[in-house]
Structure formats: structure tokens, C-alpha cells
Amino acid sequence: MLRARITLVVIVAVVAAIVVTLATSYRGVSELVAEQIDRSLNDRADAVIAVLPAVLPERSDTIEQLLSADGAAHPLVPGQVSLPVAEADRAVARTGSGTAEYNIELDGLPYGILTKPRPGGGAVMVAQRYQQPERIDNEFLWRTGDITAIAVALSALLSWLAIGRILRPVRRLLAATEQISSTRDLSVPLPPTGRDEIGRLTGSFATMLGALRRSRAQQQRLVQDASHELRTPLTSIRGSAELLQRARGRLDHDDETQVLDTLVKESAALDALVAELVELATDQHTAEEPTVLDLPALAEDCAQRFRHRSGRAITVTADDPAPVLARPRALARCVDNLLSNAIKFSPPDSPIEVRIQHTELTVRDQGPGIAAGDTTAIFDRFYRAANTQGTPGSGLGLAIVGDIVAAHDGTVFAEHGPGARIGFRLPPIDDAGAHRRRRD
């Protein structure tokens, strides 16, 4: 469970921080207590030396005694426990210089001893019991331990509540995506988006889901339109085949030739329609890597192929052309479709003009032109204008142009008037790179 894992990580981090703080604080407190004991011992020894031969008021936690130059010990308070004399203490009493400081145990209790020389010879030994500092250390450990336990418990509770609140949108998003995965229903609403990372993630999922919905709708429309368009040539082919089957060689030669011509013509139209449907559905040109292209050179190559194929006069002119970033075969298919469309709908002897201006390519013919209300619709799939119903075609050529140009972040256009003027406009290289980075 993600919530429990994150809470555990937070608790471990809090415990680690508290342990480090506790260790540092304990070390600081211990050093402070030790320093205070050393100062207290030193002050007591100085006070004893200052009041001698008088005696300071007795303290329950200290023991004082004098050392003569020969190392003999003389308690300052009668009946008080004598302190053991070490060689270091005798050296201080004998030489009258330096100090001796160390720790011992008396009657099972820890003491710190300080020996300092006294004016006139000998030395003073002062012992102070460490029981009080140890109690301070123990209380510090216990209190900080209690505080640590409370802090850990409080951190766990707050982390559990806070992380649960943070992960609530994630759980909602997970529930929605699981419902979409199990039901295949792309209309399932996603939770509201916010400005944080989770909100941005939800927004990205919403964008992706919208793209999937549009893709499914386009697929369904393509299937419906394709089934409708395929029905016409298939009906014609089936009718011609059934006629030949029923006639069994009894048809006149001219009628039989006409039926066979219909079969060949409709089969070719069906083959072309299927090929365009496959290309439109698979978007095979997206596998190409974009490269820098020279539009006039590309247009001239396409025009040369159509000159040989159709014998038409096709001119290519350029005015301030600019290179574009595009997929070569895909863009060549756009120009081919525009030229094929111009040849199909213009008189056989009329010229066709291809003009490039900056990053815009336009094909103009001398045909019947485009009605004002059809300048946008001609790029829809299977659309056929009223004045072109009798001309063979699938109605997919310009739709393919629109799809390929849109994939290059460009726009298509058509103008009505004498003849047809149809083309596309691509972004300059710098703008094309910016568009691609935004999509990525």
C-alpha cells in the first residue's frame, strides 16, 4: 500500500533526525555537565586554599583533605572519609606545582578528584561525587526518549492523515483508469485537475483520454464511411458479374465488352479506394524521420512525374522560398494528391501552376473551381462537391493531404473562384522545432 510505505519512510526519516538530534544534544549536555563539575572542583579547591587554616562549611557531596610535602594526608573535617593518595597527588604536594585530576570510586560511588598546590608547601585534595550529574544525564535520556516516542507517534499520525489527503486524487485517478480499462468506456470522467503535480498528471491523462476518444470516433467514422463508399463499386462489380453469369455467353459482343469494361473500371476504383483507406488508417508516413526539405525542388520532382504520366503542362515557380522540416515521402504525397486533383478536374489542354511562396505551396488549375461553401469541406473524408459527382474518385485524396499537413503542424486552404486554388502552409524551421518540442 503506497500510503503505508510513504508513512513508513516519513517515520524513519523523523526517527533518524530525532536520533541524530538526541545524540548531539546528549553529547553537548554531557560535556556541559563535565565542564561544570570541573569548574566546581576547581572553585572548591581555590576556596579551601583561600580560607586555610580555617575550614569551609561542609558539603555533603565533597570531601577535602590536606597533603603535606612528604605526602601525608590530613582530613580537614574530623571523622570524614580519607581520600586515597596517588603518586600524582604526592608529586603536586612535593613540588608545589601542577595539578592532578582523575576519577575514583569510594564506597561504590563515583568521585572526581582534583589536587592543587597550596602556598607555603603541600597541596589540597578535593573530591566531588558524580551522582548528581549522572542523575541529570539519566533524566535527560528518559525525557528525550519520551519526547522522541511522542514525536514519532505524532509524526506517524500526521503523516498518515496528510499522505492520505495527498493521495486521494491519485486513488480517484486510479479508480477511473481501472474502470476505463475494465469497461473500455472512454467517457468515464476523471477527477478535477489542480495546479500541483498530481493535478498536472490528471490533466495529462485527460488530454490522452480526449485524444483516444477522438481517435475512436475517427475510426468509427472511417469504418462507416468506408463501408458506404465500398458498397458502390462492390454493388456494380457484383451486378456485372451476375449479369455475365446469367447470360452464359448469350450477350452481344458490345454488351459483353461494356460489362467487362465496367468490371475492370470498378475493380480499379475499388483497388485505389482500398489503398487510400489503408494509407489513411495506418498513417504510414509517420515512420519517416523529418528532414530539411527544399519545397521548389520537391515540387519540381513531383511535377516532372506528372508531366510524363499525363502530358500536361505543369509549371513550378518560387518566390522567396524557405526550407521546411518535413517527412519527404509524406510531403511528396501531398503534392502528388494536389496535382492529381488538379488534373482530374481541369480541361485536358489547360495548364497547371504550382507556386511556392516562402513555406506555402499552392496548386492552381483551370477547372470549374470550388464553391464558397466547399473550401473547408473538400478536406473531409469522402466528401464530393456537387459539381464533381460525375468525376471518378474516392474523395480521400485531399483528406490525406489535410492529415499529413496537420501532422507537420501546418494548415491547408482552398479558395473559390475561376479555377481551383488549393495548397498548404508549413511552419518555418524554427517554429516547426518549437511545435515538435511542445508535442514531445
Side-chain angles (χ1 to χ4, degrees):
M1 185 178 180
L2 182 60
R3 185 180 184 181
R5 293 177 182 174
I6 298 177
T7 303
L8 180 60
V9 171
V10 172
I11 293 174
V12 171
V14 170
V15 171
I18 292 177
V19 168
V20 172
T21 304
L22 177 61
T24 304
S25 301
Y26 180 74
R27 181 178 179 181
V29 170
S30 298
E31 291 177 352
L32 182 63
V33 171
E35 182 180 348
Q36 186 65 31
I37 291 174
D38 293 341
R39 187 179 296 114
S40 177
L41 269 172
N42 192 67
D43 291 344
R44 184 70 176 177
D46 290 342
V48 171
I49 293 173
V51 301
L52 287 175
V55 179
L56 284 174
E58 184 177 358
R59 280 175 45 177
S60 61
D61 61 337
T62 61
I63 302 173
E64 300 90 7
Q65 68 182 18
L66 297 179
L67 282 181
S68 59
D70 60 359
H74 305 282
L76 288 177
V77 177
Q80 199 173 44
V81 177
S82 296
L83 298 175
V85 180
E87 184 58 34
D89 302 320
R90 295 190 182 92
V92 173
R94 185 173 59 253
T95 60
S97 62
T99 60
E101 189 173 359
Y102 53 93
N103 297 325
I104 63 171
E105 281 194 7
L106 290 177
D107 297 331
L109 298 176
Y111 280 81
I113 293 181
L114 173 64
T115 302
K116 297 187 70 172
R118 56 175 294 202
V124 171
M125 294 182 64
V126 177
Q128 182 171 344
R129 190 167 61 245
Y130 281 168
Q131 190 172 8
Q132 185 70 12
E134 286 186 350
R135 185 182 63 80
I136 294 175
D137 286 349
N138 291 333
E139 284 190 7
F140 176 80
L141 287 176
W142 278 107
R143 290 184 181 182
T144 52
D146 293 341
I147 294 173
T148 299
I150 295 173
V152 170
L154 186 60
S155 299
L157 177 61
L158 294 178
S159 298
W160 183 265
L161 296 177
I163 293 170
R165 182 179 181 84
I166 293 173
L167 293 181
R168 190 175 301 130
V170 177
R171 290 197 296 270
R172 292 174 180 171
L173 179 61
L174 178 61
T177 54
E178 287 179 344
Q179 183 178 354
I180 293 171
S181 299
S182 60
T183 63
R184 309 295 182 183
D185 181 10
L186 299 181
S187 63
V188 174
L190 296 180
T193 61
R195 296 183 179 180
D196 56 3
E197 288 77 5
I198 297 177
R200 291 167 59 189
L201 176 64
T202 304
S204 298
F205 270 99
T207 302
M208 180 181 65
L209 196 59
L212 289 175
R213 282 195 291 264
R214 290 191 297 272
S215 177
R216 174 178 287 184
Q218 291 173 355
Q219 289 177 358
Q220 291 175 347
R221 190 175 75 249
L222 177 62
V223 170
Q224 293 170 357
D225 293 343
S227 63
H228 178 268
E229 293 297 323
L230 288 171
R231 189 173 294 115
T232 300
L234 285 175
T235 301
S236 179
I237 291 173
R238 180 177 178 178
S240 299
E242 288 178 348
L243 177 59
L244 290 176
Q245 184 182 40
R246 287 195 303 270
R248 297 284 183 179
R250 295 191 300 272
L251 285 176
D252 293 338
H253 176 73
D254 293 339
D255 292 338
E256 185 175 351
T257 301
Q258 184 179 358
V259 172
L260 291 175
D261 288 343
T262 301
L263 283 172
V264 172
K265 181 180 177 181
E266 295 297 338
S267 298
L270 182 61
D271 181 67
L273 178 59
V274 170
E276 290 186 331
L277 283 172
V278 170
E279 180 173 356
L280 197 62
T282 59
D283 197 14
Q284 54 185 302
H285 294 300
T286 58
E288 283 187 284
E289 283 296 326
T291 185
V292 177
L293 294 179
D294 181 42
L295 276 179
L298 178 71
E300 181 60 35
D301 289 342
C302 296
Q304 187 63 28
R305 289 199 305 272
F306 277 86
R307 291 189 192 107
H308 290 302
R309 186 183 306 169
S310 64
R312 299 290 289 271
I314 303 174
T315 60
V316 178
T317 59
D319 180 15
D320 187 28
V324 295
L325 187 67
R327 300 178 178 92
R329 288 191 296 114
L331 205 60
R333 180 60 191 270
C334 286
V335 179
D336 287 348
N337 283 12
L338 292 176
L339 289 173
S340 177
N341 186 78
I343 291 173
K344 185 186 302 181
F345 296 108
S346 62
D349 297 331
S350 62
I352 295 173
E353 302 174 10
V354 180
R355 182 176 178 81
I356 296 98
Q357 186 171 14
H358 199 47
T359 61
E360 178 181 295
L361 185 145
T362 308
V363 176
R364 183 169 186 173
D365 61 50
Q366 305 298 321
I370 304 171
D374 291 337
T375 54
T376 302
I378 61 172
F379 295 101
D380 293 339
R381 297 171 180 178
F382 302 108
Y383 182 81
R384 303 292 299 274
N387 60 349
T388 63
Q389 295 293 332
T391 306
S394 64
L396 291 175
L398 294 182
I400 293 174
V401 172
D403 285 356
I404 293 176
V405 172
H408 287 80
D409 300 308
T411 56
V412 292
F413 59 87
E415 296 179 3
H416 69 282
R421 187 173 179 269
I422 308 174
F424 58 84
R425 189 179 299 109
L426 297 178
I429 287 183
D430 292 343
D431 294 342
H435 284 304
R436 192 173 66 254
R437 285 192 295 271
R438 282 197 292 269
R439 288 201 309 270
D440 295 342

